[in-house]
Amino acid sequence: MPHTTRHTGVLTAVPAAVLVALAPSFTASAEPVPSPDSSPSALSWEPCEGEAAEGAEPVPECATLPVPLDYADPDGPVVSLALSRLPAEDGRARRGALFLIPGGPGGSSLGDPAGKGRKLPQEVRDQYDLIGFAPRGLAPSTAVDCGLEHGDLALSTLRPWPAPDGSVDGNTATAQRVADACARNGGELIRHIGTANNARDLDRVRAALGERRISAWGVSYGTYVGAVYREMFPHRTDRIVLDSNDDPDPERVARAWLAGHERGVEDVFPHFAAWASKPGNPNRVAETAAEVRPLFLRLAARLDREPIPWPGANPEELNGNVLRQTMLDSLYRPGSYPTLAKLMLAARKGTVPPAPPTPPEAVLQNVAAVGAGTLCNDVAWPKSPALYEKDVAESRAAFPLTAGMPRNAMPCAAWPYPPRRAPVRITDRGPSNVLLVQNERDAATPLAGARKLREALGGRAVMVTVNSTGHGSYLADGNACGDAAVSRFLSTGERPARDTYCR
C-alpha cells in the first residue's frame, strides 16, 4: 500500500499545481444520472493486507473495480480502482455505505475504514459499511507518474514560493518543466484525472456495491469531491458530511484554495505564537507572543541571504522558503508546532536538525502527478507571467508570512491540455442533506473559504463552526460539541436547526 500522510489539504501530501477559469460552469442537468436498477459490477472481496488492514480485527476487505478511462468512451480502455470495506457491525441496523473521501488531491482513504473509521461512535459503525479507496491515478489503483526531477519533488519547489526579491521567473520555469514532464511521461491517464471523473468513479463504486444512495464523510479536497458528487448525482446521496471545506469558486477552483492559505496562515499563526512563547515550553522561541512573528520574518529573510547547508534534505539547504514551507506544514495542526519551533531555534544558532524523513521517491512521484493532473485538468490557469508577478507583489505586501506564494504560478500555468469541460458549479438545488463542520482556525482550508461553500449550498446545508485550531475537525482537531453534531447526523439524520457555533 502507498505511504500516506496526515495532511489532507491541497498540495500537502506532496502535491503540485492549482488553477483559474473564465469558462461558464455547468449544472447538474448536464450530467446524466444512471438508472438505479443498473446491474452492479461484481466485486471480489478478499482480506486486505498492509496499510489498509493496520492490524485491525476484523480485517477489512479489499477489492478492485474497473472504470472507464474516458467516460466519453464508456466501452473503451479501463483503469482499476482499489477499494476497501469494513462491513456494518450490526446487520439488523445497517443503513448503507459511508464513503470516506480523502483529501489531497493525492490522498488515499484505503486505510481509513480500519483507521479513522474505528474512531466513529458505535451507533455509526453499526449502521454503515465503511468504504475507502485510492482515487484514479493513485497506487495501488492504476497509477500515474510524471517522472519529475528529484529537486522538483521538494515541497518548497512544488509550492510556488517566489525568489527572495519577489521574482516569479524561477516559478514559471518550474511550472513549464513540470508540465512538460507530465505531458511526456503521464500517458493518456494524466489527461483523465480530475474531480468530475473522481465523482463519476464514486458513482461506479456505488453501483458496484448495489447501493441506491450513499452517505459520505469528505475531508479537505474531499469536501469538493463530495460537493461535486452531490451536484452531479443529487438523488444518489443520503447523509453528506463535509469536513474542513474548500472554497468552491467555479472560476478558479483550486487556485482559490491555494490563495486561501494566506488567510489561513494569518488565522492560525497567533495560536502558534502563543504556544511558542509559553513559559515552560521546551521549544519556546520568544518571551512574548508579540515577538514571534517579527522573529520568524527576520529569520526567513536572513536564510534568504545566508542559507545553511542541510545534508540529506531536499533541497540540501535550509533557506528562507524551506523555513516558510515548514511553517505552513506545521500550522496544519498544533501537534506539529514543535517541528517549526525546533527549526527556528536551530537556525538562530546557524545549525539544522536531522533531515526530515520523506516517503519513497516513487510515492512522491505518484502523488505529485495525481495532484498536477487533478488540479490542472479541472480548470484553465492564466498563462501570463506578468499577472502572477502582479498578484505575488500584492500578496507579499498584504501577507508577509506567506511571501506571495498563494497567488503564484504552478504547473497548471503551463499545462498543455485544455480542460475538457467547465468546472461544476455548486448550487442550492437538490436534497437538503449536507452538514458542514469547520474549525475556526485552519491554515489549509480557512473559515472564509468554508463560508463560501456554505453560501453556495444555501438551504441544502447547515454548518457547524468549531472554536478549534487545525486542519480536520470531526474526531480530529475539533471539539466534543462539533463531534456530537456530526455523529448525531450520521446516526439519526438530525442536523442543527440552523448554523451553529461550538465554543
Side-chain angles (χ1 to χ4, degrees):
M1 294 297 171
H3 174 93
T4 57
T5 68
R6 175 64 176 80
H7 292 170
T8 54
V10 62
L11 311 184
T12 50
V14 170
V18 200
L19 23 292
V20 73
L22 299 177
S25 59
F26 73 91
T27 63
S29 62
E31 184 62 37
V33 176
S35 168
D37 57 4
S38 57
S39 57
S41 302
L43 288 172
S44 178
W45 295 99
E46 297 183 355
C48 295
E49 299 178 356
E51 290 186 21
E54 293 190 357
E57 292 292 341
V59 175
E61 305 166 320
C62 282
T64 59
L65 175 70
V67 297
L69 170 69
D70 182 355
Y71 278 90
D73 182 17
D75 298 320
V78 299
V79 294
S80 67
L81 298 180
L83 312 176
S84 63
R85 176 177 71 172
L86 202 60
E89 295 184 20
D90 184 349
R92 295 167 301 176
R94 184 184 182 279
R95 180 177 180 84
L98 177 66
F99 281 38
L100 307 176
I101 308 179
S108 169
S109 63
L110 271 181
D112 285 353
K116 74 177 188 179
R118 298 285 184 177
K119 299 179 182 179
L120 289 164
Q122 187 66 51
E123 59 269 25
V124 176
R125 301 200 311 271
D126 283 346
Q127 293 186 51
Y128 295 98
D129 295 348
L130 305 180
I131 306 298
F133 61 96
R136 62 167 54 208
L138 188 71
S141 296
T142 302
V144 68
D145 188 322
C146 290
L148 302 182
E149 299 175 10
H150 176 73
D152 286 339
L153 292 171
L155 269 180
S156 58
T157 301
L158 289 173
R159 299 283 188 119
W161 296 100
D165 64 356
S167 169
V168 304
D169 292 347
N171 305 115
T172 55
T174 298
Q176 188 66 61
R177 187 169 62 249
V178 171
D180 288 346
C182 288
R184 184 170 59 249
N185 302 315
E188 190 65 17
L189 179 53
I190 197 74
R191 305 182 66 175
H192 296 280
I193 293 174
T195 302
N197 275 348
N198 286 342
R200 296 182 184 100
D201 288 347
L202 291 187
D203 204 59
R204 287 296 180 111
V205 176
R206 175 204 59 78
L209 293 171
E211 301 288 342
R212 291 181 62 86
R213 297 184 299 169
I214 62 169
S215 295
W217 173 15
V219 180
S220 193
Y221 167 67
T223 66
Y224 185 60
V225 177
V228 168
Y229 181 85
R230 175 204 163 279
E231 198 69 34
M232 295 172 66
F233 306 100
H235 300 295
R236 295 281 181 263
T237 60
D238 188 10
R239 297 169 183 171
I240 305 299
V241 173
L242 304 181
D243 176 352
S244 305
N245 298 275
D246 278 319
D247 181 346
D249 183 344
E251 303 297 326
R252 298 186 298 165
V253 194
R255 190 166 171 236
W257 309 341
L258 191 72
H261 283 50
E262 60 190 15
R263 181 70 264 163
V265 165
E266 292 291 343
D267 290 345
V268 176
F269 197 89
H271 191 265
F272 166 75
W275 172 90
S277 59
K278 188 175 181 179
N281 182 348
N283 300 304
R284 192 182 191 192
V285 302
E287 296 293 317
T288 67
E291 296 174 89
V292 177
R293 181 187 180 102
L295 172 63
F296 175 85
L297 293 173
R298 288 195 305 270
L299 187 55
R302 194 188 86 191
L303 292 170
D304 284 337
R305 300 187 302 269
E306 303 170 2
I308 302 172
W310 201 356
N314 186 15
E316 290 199 330
E317 66 176 26
L318 173 57
N319 57 41
N321 284 340
V322 171
L323 180 67
R324 295 179 184 102
Q325 180 62 47
T326 303
M327 177 267 297
L328 179 59
D329 291 341
S330 298
L331 295 189
Y332 270 57
R333 56 188 304 122
S336 297
Y337 288 175
T339 300
L340 175 58
K342 290 175 181 178
L343 189 59
M344 292 174 65
L345 290 169
R348 290 176 71 182
K349 299 175 183 177
T351 63
V352 290
T358 62
E361 184 152 322
V363 173
L364 302 182
Q365 292 279 8
N366 184 206
V367 174
V370 172
T374 304
L375 303 176
C376 299
N377 290 330
D378 271 3
V379 68
W381 280 58
K383 303 295 185 183
S384 168
L387 182 145
Y388 294 107
E389 185 176 350
K390 175 179 177 293
D391 284 353
V392 164
E394 292 177 354
S395 182
R396 286 167 67 86
F399 302 97
L401 287 172
T402 46
M405 182 277 292
R407 300 192 210 175
N408 203 358
M410 298 193 74
C412 303
W415 201 247
Y417 310 118
R420 292 174 177 265
R421 65 186 309 163
V424 176
R425 181 181 292 274
I426 306 304
T427 72
D428 61 359
R429 295 187 289 275
S432 183
N433 61 353
V434 182
L435 179 65
L436 283 70
V437 60
Q438 177 70 38
N439 285 349
E440 194 168 16
R441 295 168 297 280
D442 183 337
T445 54
L447 179 59
R451 285 172 171 159
K452 292 180 180 178
L453 179 58
R454 171 67 188 88
E455 180 182 6
L457 290 168
R460 303 305 177 183
V462 173
M463 186 160 102
V464 176
T465 303
V466 177
N467 179 17
S468 293
T469 304
H471 185 50
S473 183
Y474 182 47
L475 305 180
D477 291 316
N479 64 25
C481 166
D483 290 352
V486 176
S487 296
R488 186 181 309 111
F489 173 57
L490 287 174
S491 60
T492 70
E494 179 186 346
R495 297 179 302 179
R498 60 187 63 85
D499 290 355
T500 301
Y501 181 71
C502 281
R503 296 188 182 279

